């Protein structure tokens, strides 16, 4: 069903949640109107501060996200939340657990919460997350909180999508060692030890501080990730987390890191779109005589896979050039 994209964009800019929802639905569904949507949103983006939250299951990501929403709303900020849920094996959609935990913000017109399904996409993020972030940015959100699936080693992708990455841990879960194994010690800009009212919180913070210091080679002006202890369920320590986030944002702006991260994010997004388009074209060749002939030559030893891949890429790019000409 065709939608009036200019009207949707204008309504989204006015803060109408239904329009924002429909734009994100166009993104998730890879609508034919997606290119028009992105073209109209492009001049309206760049104002939102994107904060990614990640961590193992059970550390309190959703509760912490909700507490951060409350803190930013007290500061008068418009907040967008992109909660990336695991996909339901039955419906393919998001399980929506995050919306249940953030129900207190459901009636706030200054907050927009959207759950997205990973749909099998590795990395802890939905494939459409970058475009959904752009929709929330263009809709006037001052802060966009992206909560990722806590799935261990693949959750580090959030580092390529956020301005600031927050890694959450909790005492009693062996999270210090798990964080080191998962590689998320390298991607965190702010570390939060949640459920700090439990035994072992101080030990977890000390262990994390020790691990962050191992092999550290930072200069005098480099950013050293702070460790903040919180009890998100009671809102304790949330203001300190916001303060740490704002300090990191100021540091990035001063040192040109924020602009560089956003350029890298845009480059990654362009690359992903281009690779997806190439895969679709290669898919069109699947079963085509040219691909079958290449496969047959590999099986009989007449061609190696790398040379075959080069030939396939040449065929795809030649086809693209012919269609454009």
């Amino acid at each position: 069903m065709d939608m009036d994209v200019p009207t949707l964009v204008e309504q989204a800019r006015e803060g109408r949640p239904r329009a924002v929802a429909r734009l994100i639905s166009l993104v998730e569904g890879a609508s034919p109107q997606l290119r028009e949507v992105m073209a109209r949103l492009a001049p309206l983006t760049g104002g939102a501060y994107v904060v990614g939250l990640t961590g193992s299951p059970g550390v309190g990501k959703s509760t912490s996200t909700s507490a951060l929403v409350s803190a930013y709303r007290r500061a008068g900020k418009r907040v967008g939340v992109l909660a990336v849920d695991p996909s339901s094996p039955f419906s393919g959609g998001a399980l929506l657990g995050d919306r249940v935990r953030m129900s207190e913000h459901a009636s706030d017109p200054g907050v927009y919460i959207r759950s997205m399904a990973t749909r099998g996409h590795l990395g802890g993020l939905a494939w459409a997350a970058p475009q959904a972030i752009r929709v929330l940015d263009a809709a006037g959100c001052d802060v966009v909180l992206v909560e990722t699936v806590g799935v261990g080693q693949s959750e580090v992708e959030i580092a390529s999508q956020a301005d600031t990455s927050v890694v959450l841990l909790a005492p009693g879960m062996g999270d210090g060692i798990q964080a080191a194994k998962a590689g998320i010690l390298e991607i965190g800009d702010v570390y939060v030890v949640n459920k700090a009212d439990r035994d072992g919180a101080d030990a977890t913070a000390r262990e994390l501080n020790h691990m962050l210091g191992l092999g550290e080679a930072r200069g005098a002006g480099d950013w050293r990730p702070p460790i903040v202890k919180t009890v998100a369920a009671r809102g304790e320590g949330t203001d300190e987390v916001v303060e740490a986030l704002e300090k990191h944002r100021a540091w990035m702006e001063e040192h040109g890191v924020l602009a560089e991260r956003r350029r890298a994010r845009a480059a990654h997004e362009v690359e992903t779109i281009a690779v997806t388009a190439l895969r679709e074209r290669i898919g069109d060749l699947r079963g085509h005589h040219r691909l079958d002939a290449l496969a047959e030559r590999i099986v009989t030893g007449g061609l190696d896979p790398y040379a075959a891949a080069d030939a396939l890429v040449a065929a795809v790019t030649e086809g693209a050039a012919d269609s454009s000409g």
Side-chain angles (χ1 to χ4, degrees):
M1 179 178 177
D2 288 337
M3 298 183 184
D4 183 358
V5 172
T7 300
L8 281 179
V9 171
E10 184 60 33
Q11 291 178 349
R13 288 291 290 172
E14 295 171 358
R16 299 190 190 182
R18 187 181 297 272
V20 177
R22 294 178 77 181
L23 286 173
I24 294 181
S25 293
L26 289 176
V27 167
E28 284 192 288
S31 166
Q33 295 173 290
L34 181 55
R35 289 177 179 270
E36 182 185 358
V37 170
M38 290 297 109
R40 291 188 176 274
L41 292 182
L44 308 174
T45 59
Y49 176 40
V50 183
V51 178
L53 296 97
T54 190
S56 302
V59 299
K61 290 190 298 296
S62 297
T63 307
S64 297
T65 301
S66 181
L68 282 174
V69 171
S70 297
Y72 277 117
R73 289 299 292 144
R74 287 195 298 271
K77 305 285 188 182
R78 289 186 65 188
V79 184
V81 179
L82 198 61
V84 184
D85 287 335
S87 296
S88 165
F90 302 103
S91 68
L95 294 179
L96 305 181
D98 300 296
R99 281 193 171 182
V100 173
R101 295 184 181 90
M102 294 184 229
S103 58
E104 63 183 286
H105 304 293
S107 60
D108 186 344
V111 179
Y112 183 86
I113 301 172
R114 176 72 173 227
S115 290
M116 297 182 71
T118 57
R119 299 182 183 178
H121 180 74
L122 296 178
L125 288 176
W127 74 271
Q131 289 79 26
I133 291 171
R134 184 169 284 109
V135 171
L136 294 174
D137 184 359
C141 291
D142 300 299
V143 179
V144 176
L145 303 175
V146 184
E147 179 194 334
T148 73
V149 181
V151 289
Q153 294 188 19
S154 63
E155 64 198 0
V156 298
E157 186 179 332
I158 186 59
S160 67
Q161 300 297 339
D163 296 325
T164 298
S165 297
V166 178
V167 175
L168 287 99
L169 305 97
M173 299 180 68
D175 263 355
I177 301 299
Q178 291 301 317
K181 288 170 61 179
I184 57 178
L185 289 181
E186 287 78 16
I187 62 101
D189 299 304
V190 176
Y191 290 87
V192 174
V193 177
N194 190 32
K195 305 180 181 180
D197 53 342
R198 292 185 177 182
D199 291 339
D202 291 337
T204 299
R206 284 196 301 270
E207 180 183 9
L208 180 58
N209 186 59
H210 173 69
M211 288 187 172
L212 289 173
L214 290 176
E216 186 177 87
R218 295 187 176 92
D222 291 345
W223 176 257
R224 178 176 173 80
I227 301 171
V228 184
K229 290 186 289 186
T230 66
V231 183
R234 299 201 297 260
E236 297 176 7
T238 307
D239 290 338
E240 286 77 4
V241 176
V242 172
E243 181 181 355
L245 292 174
E246 292 304 316
K247 285 183 178 178
H248 184 244
R249 182 178 186 176
W251 176 85
M252 288 192 296
E253 289 175 343
E254 180 184 351
H255 292 82
V257 176
L258 183 59
E260 180 56 36
R261 287 192 176 189
R262 291 180 174 178
R263 280 193 295 270
R265 190 160 75 221
H268 177 74
E269 187 177 355
V270 170
E271 180 182 354
T272 300
I273 293 170
V275 169
T276 300
L278 284 173
R279 282 176 177 165
E280 289 175 353
R281 288 172 182 164
I282 290 173
D284 292 340
L285 288 176
R286 196 174 300 280
H288 189 274
H289 69 278
R290 186 175 303 190
L291 185 56
D292 283 345
L294 291 171
E296 180 63 28
R297 291 179 64 191
I298 293 173
V299 171
T300 58
L303 192 68
D304 69 87
Y306 289 93
D310 289 340
L312 182 60
V313 170
V316 171
T317 53
E318 286 171 8
D322 291 342
S323 63
S324 63

